Amino acid sequence: MTVSKRVANAKSGKFHQGVHKRGLADETKQKKASKLPVGPVMLGFFIFVVIGSAILQIIRTATNPRDLPA
């Protein structure tokens, strides 16, 4: 038996052993699902915009109290 025939038989045997395991992935190989619906960068940007606009509104109101929103 030649080396290439031996390698081909080994690969074929390995393939046939794994046929019945299709679709059954190990838990260690599966990715853990992220519990956040948005990424941390997007969440940080959203918080930056909300808090920044609140601070700017407070500064604007403190410097010119006559222009209060109705």
Side-chain angles (χ1 to χ4, degrees):
M1 191 184 280
T2 63
V3 176
S4 61
K5 182 74 171 169
R6 203 174 317 140
V7 171
N9 284 342
K11 286 184 179 182
S12 176
K14 193 173 185 180
F15 172 78
H16 287 297
Q17 287 176 354
V19 166
H20 300 294
K21 296 180 184 179
R22 299 278 188 229
L24 302 175
D26 294 336
E27 288 186 23
T28 57
K29 292 183 180 180
Q30 290 179 349
K31 282 185 148 181
K32 299 291 180 185
S34 176
K35 294 181 181 181
L36 295 175
V38 295
V41 173
M42 197 63 172
L43 184 63
F45 178 73
F46 180 72
I47 290 172
F48 171 76
V49 169
V50 169
I51 292 176
S53 65
I55 290 172
L56 288 176
Q57 185 68 31
I58 290 170
I59 291 171
R60 186 178 300 135
T61 304
T63 58
N64 199 1
R66 287 180 278 143
D67 294 335
L68 291 176

XYZ file of all heavy atoms in Angstrom:
532
model
N 0.857 -1.161 0.000
C 0.000 0.000 0.000
C 0.913 1.237 0.000
O 1.823 1.352 0.798
C -0.881 -0.029 1.259
C -1.967 0.989 1.224
S -2.945 1.041 2.725
C -4.043 -0.320 2.507
N 0.644 2.171 -0.846
C 1.465 3.367 -0.941
C 1.060 4.372 0.136
O 0.013 4.242 0.779
C 1.308 4.023 -2.325
O -0.038 4.424 -2.474
C 1.700 3.067 -3.422
N 1.905 5.353 0.312
C 1.656 6.357 1.337
C 0.378 7.131 1.020
O -0.445 7.382 1.904
C 2.864 7.318 1.443
C 2.570 8.427 2.440
C 4.106 6.552 1.851
N 0.178 7.515 -0.233
C -1.007 8.286 -0.583
C -2.283 7.459 -0.365
O -3.309 8.003 0.053
C -0.929 8.773 -2.026
O -0.869 7.672 -2.909
N -2.216 6.173 -0.622
C -3.380 5.311 -0.398
C -3.669 5.197 1.093
O -4.821 5.238 1.522
C -3.109 3.921 -1.012
C -4.240 2.959 -0.881
C -5.355 3.301 -1.817
C -6.371 2.173 -1.796
N -7.583 2.534 -2.463
N -2.602 5.128 1.893
C -2.753 5.040 3.342
C -3.360 6.346 3.892
O -4.247 6.318 4.744
C -1.376 4.790 3.973
C -1.461 4.158 5.328
C -0.094 3.787 5.879
N 0.766 3.176 4.899
C 2.069 3.417 4.789
N 2.653 4.274 5.605
N 2.789 2.826 3.879
N -2.900 7.466 3.397
C -3.430 8.762 3.824
C -4.885 8.897 3.410
O -5.727 9.377 4.176
C -2.573 9.907 3.244
C -3.226 11.254 3.484
C -1.174 9.884 3.833
N -5.209 8.469 2.201
C -6.585 8.549 1.713
C -7.501 7.672 2.568
O -8.625 8.087 2.913
C -6.662 8.135 0.257
N -7.040 6.476 2.941
C -7.855 5.592 3.786
C -8.047 6.190 5.184
O -9.123 6.068 5.774
C -7.216 4.215 3.886
C -7.416 3.385 2.629
O -8.301 3.685 1.825
N -6.584 2.374 2.439
N -7.009 6.821 5.714
C -7.118 7.434 7.041
C -8.121 8.583 7.002
O -8.957 8.721 7.907
C -5.755 7.931 7.505
N -8.039 9.413 5.971
C -8.984 10.522 5.854
C -10.405 10.018 5.657
O -11.362 10.564 6.214
C -8.591 11.432 4.698
C -7.384 12.291 4.991
C -7.107 13.227 3.841
C -5.919 14.111 4.140
N -5.660 15.055 3.050
N -10.561 8.969 4.868
C -11.883 8.409 4.620
C -12.465 7.834 5.908
O -13.643 8.026 6.207
C -11.793 7.325 3.543
O -13.048 6.715 3.350
N -11.632 7.129 6.671
C -12.100 6.565 7.936
C -12.506 7.646 8.918
O -13.519 7.535 9.614
N -11.713 8.700 8.973
C -12.034 9.814 9.857
C -13.351 10.473 9.444
O -14.170 10.843 10.286
C -10.897 10.827 9.831
C -10.957 11.843 10.909
C -9.697 12.694 10.917
C -9.695 13.655 12.073
N -8.503 14.483 12.099
N -13.560 10.602 8.140
C -14.799 11.183 7.627
C -15.995 10.314 8.007
O -17.013 10.802 8.485
C -14.728 11.339 6.110
C -16.037 11.751 5.496
C -16.465 13.064 5.564
C -16.854 10.823 4.865
C -17.666 13.449 5.006
C -18.051 11.196 4.306
C -18.466 12.511 4.374
N -15.881 9.013 7.823
C -17.007 8.116 8.094
C -17.325 8.038 9.587
O -18.473 7.795 9.956
C -16.731 6.728 7.526
C -16.827 6.674 6.029
N -17.996 6.940 5.359
C -15.899 6.427 5.073
C -17.800 6.849 4.057
N -16.512 6.541 3.854
N -16.338 8.258 10.445
C -16.611 8.279 11.882
C -17.390 9.530 12.264
O -18.210 9.501 13.172
C -15.303 8.251 12.672
C -14.630 6.907 12.653
C -13.286 6.953 13.364
O -12.821 8.012 13.761
N -12.658 5.792 13.495
N -17.145 10.625 11.555
C -17.794 11.883 11.895
C -19.139 12.095 11.229
O -19.809 13.083 11.508
N -19.557 11.173 10.361
C -20.822 11.353 9.630
C -22.007 11.410 10.585
O -22.912 12.226 10.423
C -21.012 10.219 8.588
C -22.434 10.193 8.073
C -20.048 10.398 7.449
N -21.993 10.586 11.609
C -23.123 10.537 12.539
C -23.093 11.674 13.555
O -24.032 11.835 14.321
C -23.141 9.191 13.261
C -23.268 8.031 12.316
N -24.394 7.809 11.566
C -22.384 7.063 11.961
C -24.223 6.741 10.802
N -23.004 6.269 11.031
N -22.043 12.437 13.567
C -21.926 13.548 14.510
C -22.252 14.882 13.864
O -22.041 15.924 14.469
C -20.503 13.595 15.072
C -20.132 12.379 15.879
C -18.716 12.499 16.387
C -18.315 11.234 17.124
N -16.934 11.313 17.598
N -22.774 14.885 12.670
C -23.069 16.140 11.978
C -24.117 16.935 12.748
O -25.133 16.388 13.166
C -23.599 15.874 10.564
C -22.633 15.155 9.685
C -21.623 16.110 9.095
N -20.821 15.401 8.109
C -19.514 15.442 8.066
N -18.851 16.175 8.918
N -18.850 14.777 7.163
N -23.863 18.207 12.921
C -24.790 19.087 13.598
C -24.659 19.080 15.104
O -25.295 19.867 15.780
N -23.846 18.217 15.662
C -23.653 18.161 17.103
C -22.286 18.754 17.429
O -21.279 18.062 17.420
C -23.729 16.722 17.623
C -25.033 15.979 17.331
C -24.935 14.539 17.773
C -26.195 16.659 18.011
N -22.249 20.015 17.717
C -20.982 20.683 18.015
C -20.715 20.624 19.512
O -21.639 20.622 20.337
C -21.031 22.125 17.554
N -19.452 20.563 19.868
C -19.079 20.596 21.275
C -19.436 21.951 21.863
O -19.407 22.964 21.181
C -17.568 20.366 21.439
C -17.158 18.969 21.011
O -18.026 18.072 21.039
O -15.970 18.784 20.679
N -19.735 21.957 23.154
C -20.074 23.217 23.801
C -18.874 24.141 23.855
O -19.005 25.347 23.867
C -20.606 22.961 25.203
C -21.992 22.357 25.213
C -22.551 22.241 26.613
O -22.103 22.983 27.506
O -23.436 21.406 26.804
N -17.683 23.574 23.893
C -16.482 24.412 23.954
C -16.239 25.114 22.624
O -15.643 26.177 22.598
C -15.252 23.568 24.314
O -15.107 22.522 23.347
C -15.401 22.970 25.694
N -16.703 24.546 21.533
C -16.491 25.134 20.219
C -17.582 26.127 19.841
O -17.410 26.918 18.933
C -16.414 24.051 19.149
C -15.172 23.203 19.275
C -15.074 22.185 18.171
C -13.830 21.340 18.316
N -13.724 20.346 17.259
N -18.713 26.073 20.522
C -19.807 26.979 20.208
C -19.506 28.344 20.793
O -18.950 28.466 21.880
C -21.120 26.468 20.787
C -21.651 25.239 20.102
C -22.946 24.768 20.736
O -23.341 25.239 21.795
N -23.608 23.834 20.085
N -19.885 29.374 20.068
C -19.716 30.730 20.569
C -20.794 31.019 21.599
O -21.942 30.619 21.439
C -19.834 31.751 19.443
C -18.627 31.877 18.587
C -18.851 33.010 17.614
C -17.555 33.675 17.301
N -17.742 34.792 16.375
N -20.410 31.727 22.628
C -21.381 32.144 23.625
C -22.152 33.336 23.063
O -21.569 34.274 22.533
C -20.690 32.550 24.925
C -19.906 31.423 25.571
C -20.834 30.369 26.090
C -20.020 29.257 26.741
N -20.812 28.153 27.156
N -23.450 33.289 23.156
C -24.283 34.362 22.626
C -24.143 35.598 23.506
O -24.166 35.506 24.731
C -25.740 33.922 22.581
N -24.009 36.719 22.874
C -23.897 37.981 23.602
C -25.269 38.351 24.140
O -26.272 38.254 23.446
C -23.382 39.075 22.669
O -23.359 40.301 23.345
N -25.303 38.788 25.391
C -26.581 39.134 25.999
C -26.987 40.564 25.684
O -28.118 40.944 25.915
C -26.502 38.932 27.506
C -26.324 37.477 27.890
C -26.282 37.279 29.364
C -26.089 35.798 29.668
N -26.058 35.522 31.084
N -26.048 41.362 25.163
C -26.373 42.738 24.811
C -26.886 42.810 23.377
O -26.268 42.256 22.478
C -25.132 43.626 24.941
C -24.554 43.809 26.332
C -23.266 44.607 26.262
C -25.548 44.528 27.214
N -28.002 43.496 23.150
C -28.495 43.619 21.775
C -27.673 44.598 20.937
O -27.757 44.577 19.725
C -29.930 44.101 21.934
C -29.967 44.748 23.266
C -28.936 44.048 24.112
N -26.896 45.466 21.591
C -26.018 46.393 20.879
C -24.599 46.209 21.386
O -24.381 45.718 22.487
C -26.448 47.870 21.072
C -27.795 48.133 20.468
C -26.435 48.252 22.528
N -23.644 46.612 20.587
C -22.253 46.481 20.964
C -21.838 47.507 22.006
O -22.515 48.521 22.217
N -20.711 47.267 22.665
C -20.264 48.198 23.694
C -19.879 49.570 23.139
O -20.053 50.578 23.824
C -19.061 47.497 24.322
C -18.644 46.463 23.354
C -19.849 46.100 22.562
N -19.396 49.633 21.911
C -19.035 50.920 21.314
C -20.297 51.751 21.069
O -20.338 52.949 21.369
C -18.237 50.712 20.013
C -17.994 52.027 19.301
C -16.939 49.982 20.289
N -21.308 51.123 20.535
C -22.565 51.833 20.261
C -23.217 52.279 21.570
O -23.767 53.385 21.653
C -23.505 50.919 19.476
C -24.611 51.639 18.818
S -23.944 52.758 17.607
C -25.412 53.289 16.822
N -23.164 51.449 22.585
C -23.723 51.803 23.890
C -22.968 52.989 24.492
O -23.584 53.920 25.020
C -23.661 50.601 24.825
C -24.291 50.772 26.198
C -25.779 51.022 26.060
C -24.028 49.555 27.042
N -21.641 52.987 24.381
C -20.842 54.097 24.873
C -21.147 55.385 24.137
O -21.237 56.456 24.750
N -21.308 55.301 22.829
C -21.652 56.480 22.034
C -23.019 57.031 22.436
O -23.196 58.237 22.576
C -21.634 56.130 20.544
C -22.032 57.268 19.656
C -21.182 58.332 19.447
C -23.267 57.264 19.020
C -21.549 59.393 18.628
C -23.645 58.305 18.205
C -22.780 59.376 18.008
N -23.984 56.167 22.635
C -25.330 56.586 23.032
C -25.299 57.286 24.386
O -25.918 58.348 24.571
C -26.265 55.374 23.075
C -27.667 55.710 23.462
C -28.497 56.380 22.592
C -28.165 55.344 24.708
C -29.806 56.694 22.945
C -29.455 55.655 25.072
C -30.273 56.329 24.190
N -24.571 56.721 25.337
C -24.465 57.331 26.657
C -23.758 58.680 26.563
O -24.164 59.655 27.204
C -23.749 56.380 27.634
C -24.663 55.182 27.936
C -23.349 57.078 28.921
C -24.013 54.085 28.723
N -22.716 58.759 25.745
C -21.992 60.017 25.544
C -22.923 61.098 25.002
O -22.922 62.232 25.481
C -20.827 59.783 24.589
C -20.148 61.038 24.137
C -19.294 61.723 24.979
C -20.373 61.528 22.858
C -18.665 62.878 24.553
C -19.750 62.676 22.428
C -18.895 63.360 23.288
N -23.738 60.760 24.024
C -24.645 61.738 23.423
C -25.711 62.180 24.415
O -25.995 63.376 24.553
C -25.291 61.159 22.137
C -26.429 62.027 21.657
C -24.246 61.008 21.055
N -26.299 61.255 25.141
C -27.379 61.590 26.077
C -26.852 62.440 27.231
O -27.420 63.486 27.558
C -28.059 60.306 26.604
C -28.996 60.609 27.756
C -28.803 59.612 25.475
N -25.766 61.993 27.852
C -25.223 62.735 28.987
C -24.649 64.073 28.522
O -24.816 65.099 29.198
C -24.178 61.880 29.732
C -24.889 60.706 30.407
C -23.423 62.707 30.770
C -23.971 59.729 31.086
N -23.983 64.081 27.371
C -23.437 65.327 26.847
C -24.513 66.350 26.558
O -24.363 67.534 26.869
N -25.600 65.923 25.959
C -26.678 66.873 25.662
C -27.347 67.365 26.944
O -27.747 68.529 27.032
C -27.711 66.240 24.739
O -28.355 65.165 25.388
N -27.446 66.519 27.962
C -28.021 66.943 29.238
C -27.123 67.983 29.905
O -27.621 68.991 30.437
C -28.216 65.743 30.163
N -25.816 67.768 29.867
C -24.880 68.733 30.454
C -24.940 70.059 29.701
O -24.956 71.134 30.313
C -23.452 68.150 30.473
C -23.379 67.010 31.497
C -22.423 69.224 30.795
C -22.088 66.238 31.470
N -24.974 70.001 28.378
C -25.076 71.240 27.604
C -26.372 71.989 27.896
O -26.385 73.212 27.963
C -24.962 70.941 26.111
C -23.573 70.548 25.609
C -23.628 70.180 24.133
C -22.593 71.681 25.839
N -27.460 71.275 28.077
C -28.743 71.910 28.403
C -28.680 72.568 29.771
O -29.203 73.675 29.964
C -29.875 70.876 28.359
C -31.241 71.465 28.558
C -31.658 72.343 27.391
O -31.280 72.111 26.256
N -32.429 73.385 27.687
N -28.038 71.921 30.730
C -27.901 72.500 32.071
C -27.048 73.772 32.004
O -27.385 74.789 32.614
C -27.292 71.463 33.042
C -28.308 70.357 33.321
C -26.851 72.122 34.339
C -27.747 69.167 34.053
N -25.951 73.725 31.253
C -25.089 74.899 31.116
C -25.840 76.028 30.427
O -25.770 77.192 30.846
C -23.800 74.536 30.349
C -22.935 73.617 31.204
C -23.027 75.779 29.950
C -21.755 73.026 30.466
N -26.580 75.711 29.373
C -27.337 76.729 28.640
C -28.399 77.368 29.540
O -28.606 78.581 29.521
C -27.992 76.106 27.415
C -28.676 77.129 26.533
C -29.277 76.503 25.294
N -28.244 75.839 24.490
C -28.382 74.621 23.951
N -29.502 73.966 24.105
N -27.421 74.089 23.243
N -29.073 76.573 30.348
C -30.102 77.088 31.247
C -29.480 77.923 32.362
O -30.045 78.946 32.762
C -30.909 75.922 31.856
O -31.447 75.149 30.791
C -32.038 76.424 32.730
N -28.331 77.509 32.866
C -27.680 78.241 33.950
C -27.145 79.587 33.480
O -27.136 80.554 34.246
C -26.550 77.408 34.534
N -26.677 79.670 32.246
C -26.113 80.925 31.758
C -27.174 81.898 31.272
O -26.957 83.106 31.309
C -25.107 80.667 30.619
O -25.754 79.972 29.572
C -23.915 79.894 31.120
N -28.308 81.407 30.812
C -29.350 82.282 30.286
C -30.719 81.761 30.756
O -31.438 81.123 29.980
C -29.262 82.326 28.763
C -29.970 83.531 28.192
O -30.513 84.337 28.918
N -29.964 83.632 26.881
N -31.120 82.042 31.977
C -32.356 81.451 32.502
C -33.631 82.003 31.889
O -34.695 81.423 32.061
C -32.305 81.797 34.015
C -31.351 82.928 34.125
C -30.417 82.831 32.976
N -33.577 83.123 31.147
C -34.790 83.671 30.544
C -35.292 82.835 29.374
O -36.452 82.902 29.007
C -34.540 85.098 30.057
C -34.450 86.073 31.231
C -34.207 87.472 30.740
N -32.760 87.577 30.502
C -32.200 88.257 29.519
N -32.953 88.915 28.669
N -30.898 88.316 29.379
N -34.427 82.065 28.733
C -34.808 81.278 27.559
C -35.194 79.851 27.940
O -34.788 78.889 27.300
C -33.657 81.250 26.556
C -33.377 82.613 25.974
O -34.301 83.440 25.954
O -32.225 82.836 25.533
N -35.981 79.704 28.961
C -36.417 78.372 29.376
C -37.387 77.810 28.358
O -38.229 78.550 27.808
C -37.069 78.412 30.754
C -36.142 78.710 31.929
C -36.969 78.823 33.226
C -35.113 77.634 32.082
N -37.319 76.537 28.098
C -38.296 75.935 27.163
C -39.692 75.962 27.743
O -39.886 75.841 28.954
C -37.802 74.510 26.975
C -36.695 74.292 27.932
C -36.322 75.598 28.557
N -40.682 76.139 26.894
C -42.062 76.255 27.357
C -42.638 74.929 27.751
O -42.318 73.888 27.432
C -42.927 76.862 26.274
